[in-house]
Amino acid sequence: MRWDTSGQTARLHYARIPPSGSYRLYVHGLHDPAGNLLRDTVLALPVVTDTLPPRLVDLYPIDSRKLGVRFDEPATGCDPSAYRLQEGPAVWQVQDCPAPPRTDFTLLLAAPMTPQTAYTLRIEAVADTVGNVMPAVARTFTFPGDPEPANPGDLIINEVLYAPAQPGLEFVELYNRSAHALDLREIHWHDARSEPQPLAERVFLIGPGAYVVLAEDTAALRKIFGDVPVLLQPSAWSPLNNDGDAVVLKRSDGLRLDSLWYDASMGQSSRSLERRDPDLPTWLRANWAVCVDSLGATPGRRNSRYEPDLAPPAVRFVAVRDSFTVVVFFDEVLDPSSVQPRPSNWTMAHNPRRPPGCPTHSRSCCTSNDR
């Protein structure tokens, strides 16, 4: 039994946990500092006993030597023997233990895990604060590799559904085009009006080639599009404007990783805006197209308009504008960094061979062969 500092509250602790039911609490023999005796009192006391064991609600790799586990209630999870990584390194210690029961634990491994490898963690003999022991449970996960800091172009915006047919279906799809794992907790996102917020509240690793979908309502999205491998619902969702908005990705230190500014003319109501080529710039309007999938969007999978640019650019024609200017027209947008006034890019020969059919008095000639 314990009194509070006011002397008016007593906390009674059971010697053993009673079953759920209705009980009577008898209070007698107590008095105040003046000696006034409390008359005998009988109180009705409903008791609802926790008979449910703790449940594993989250398992995630932190790095090659650490795993995070989370239970749905405070649990006695400090014993390393309660955890076994099948076909993997042993769990040799639980971080910050011994300690009182809590919901989150970090498991330290005896050796590093192998990147891009699936493991199964088995947990047993973990109890809650009243002694309910959870049955053995096994959970499989893939370790994507130790994370590295994201650089511009590593994590890109790949698809946006800003004008869905039903409320709650807005989403932004991201794609890891780097060759290493990324930690989403270290990356923030926002639109044109909202403040940056982290993509994840805890360590969240994704491997190369992985898709990540940020959803306004994960349950609504699954109902329409089915299972999505990596689906996150931010704590706050700023609605994406149908007539134009921005989606911006930044590192936690403020470095911009990618950004998309779209307007209504680029898309279509009830259909997502898809990136055609992950290797082309985000700012290039020609790199975005309306989804043609029957569902109107492709969250968590390859875009229906995935059309990587594999053809080199070609010259359409050359025009002499005046005595000092020659204009060269190409069949697609060029990378500005490659268009430089250097001899390796441009060479003009004296009296070049004129193509057949090009008049001698003409100052321009429409051909893609006379370069």
Side-chain angles (χ1 to χ4, degrees):
M1 184 181 70
R2 187 178 67 189
W3 286 100
D4 71 359
T5 56
S6 70
Q8 291 182 271
T9 302
R11 297 182 182 274
L12 309 178
H13 295 273
Y14 301 118
R16 59 181 179 82
I17 306 298
S20 298
S22 297
Y23 295 83
R24 292 180 181 179
L25 177 64
Y26 296 88
V27 183
H28 54 83
L30 305 181
H31 59 82
D32 62 17
N36 299 306
L37 187 66
L38 173 74
R39 68 179 181 179
D40 291 351
T41 303
V42 180
L43 303 172
L45 184 65
V47 173
V48 178
T49 303
D50 177 13
T51 59
L52 298 177
R55 184 171 58 89
L56 179 68
V57 294
D58 203 3
L59 164 64
Y60 53 95
I62 298 173
D63 58 35
S64 59
R65 300 289 293 262
K66 294 180 182 178
L67 291 175
V69 294
R70 175 174 294 174
F71 300 99
D72 65 344
E73 61 175 318
T76 56
C78 275
D79 184 1
S81 65
Y83 310 94
R84 183 164 62 90
L85 195 60
Q86 299 176 357
E87 299 181 357
V91 177
W92 70 278
Q93 186 180 349
V94 180
Q95 188 169 291
D96 299 328
C97 283
R102 59 180 189 264
T103 56
D104 292 79
F105 297 88
T106 299
L107 313 182
L108 306 181
L109 306 180
M113 293 181 288
T114 303
Q116 303 299 322
T117 301
Y119 294 93
T120 299
L121 180 69
R122 180 179 174 85
I123 305 175
E124 56 185 45
V126 172
D128 61 15
T129 55
V130 297
N132 297 310
V133 180
M134 66 180 292
V137 61
R139 184 76 61 86
T140 299
F141 67 95
T142 297
F143 174 58
D146 281 321
E148 297 183 21
N151 291 308
D154 283 353
L155 188 67
I156 61 172
I157 301 158
N158 199 56
E159 185 178 5
V160 179
L161 181 59
Y162 58 84
Q166 304 176 30
L169 291 181
E170 287 188 357
F171 73 81
V172 174
E173 180 190 78
L174 311 176
Y175 175 69
N176 181 7
R177 63 183 293 273
S178 76
H180 52 79
L182 300 173
D183 183 0
L184 298 184
R185 187 179 61 170
E186 300 300 324
I187 301 174
H188 295 64
W189 81 292
H190 64 90
D191 68 356
R193 303 171 312 283
S194 61
E195 292 296 318
Q197 60 175 316
L199 297 179
E201 297 298 327
R202 50 91 167 159
V203 174
F204 201 114
L205 306 185
I206 61 166
Y211 296 96
V212 179
V213 177
L214 307 178
E216 178 184 10
D217 185 332
T218 55
L221 198 78
R222 284 194 182 98
K223 185 176 180 180
I224 300 298
F225 298 103
D227 186 46
V228 177
V230 183
L231 183 60
L232 302 175
Q233 183 170 327
S235 56
W237 184 270
S238 180
L240 300 171
N241 288 342
N242 293 357
D243 56 352
D245 208 335
V247 179
V248 182
L249 297 179
K250 293 180 178 179
R251 215 162 60 184
S252 56
D253 61 5
L255 176 67
R256 180 170 293 195
L257 302 175
D258 197 19
S259 60
L260 168 67
W261 295 80
Y262 67 85
D263 58 59
S265 67
M266 296 172 64
Q268 179 180 324
S269 179
S270 304
R271 293 193 168 272
S272 69
L273 191 60
E274 292 184 330
R275 190 184 193 117
R276 299 173 62 191
D277 189 339
D279 293 328
L280 291 182
T282 307
W283 53 260
L284 185 63
R285 288 177 68 97
N287 197 27
W288 295 90
V290 175
C291 177
V292 295
D293 188 87
S294 59
L295 294 177
T298 55
R301 54 191 175 94
R302 175 177 283 189
N303 290 342
S304 66
R305 296 298 301 273
Y306 175 71
E307 300 160 355
D309 184 2
L310 303 178
V315 175
R316 282 188 172 176
F317 65 90
V318 180
V320 178
R321 293 302 190 198
D322 53 44
S323 299
F324 299 96
T325 307
V326 175
V327 182
V328 184
F329 294 87
F330 298 89
D331 65 347
E332 64 175 312
V333 176
L334 298 182
D335 183 348
S337 66
S338 72
V339 186
Q340 301 293 332
R342 55 195 176 202
S344 60
N345 291 136
W346 316 93
T347 302
M348 180 175 289
H350 181 64
N351 286 330
R353 180 179 59 83
R354 303 184 70 82
C358 187
T360 57
H361 63 274
S362 173
R363 303 193 63 176
S364 67
C365 195
C366 298
T367 176
S368 60
N369 298 317
D370 186 23
R371 303 187 184 182

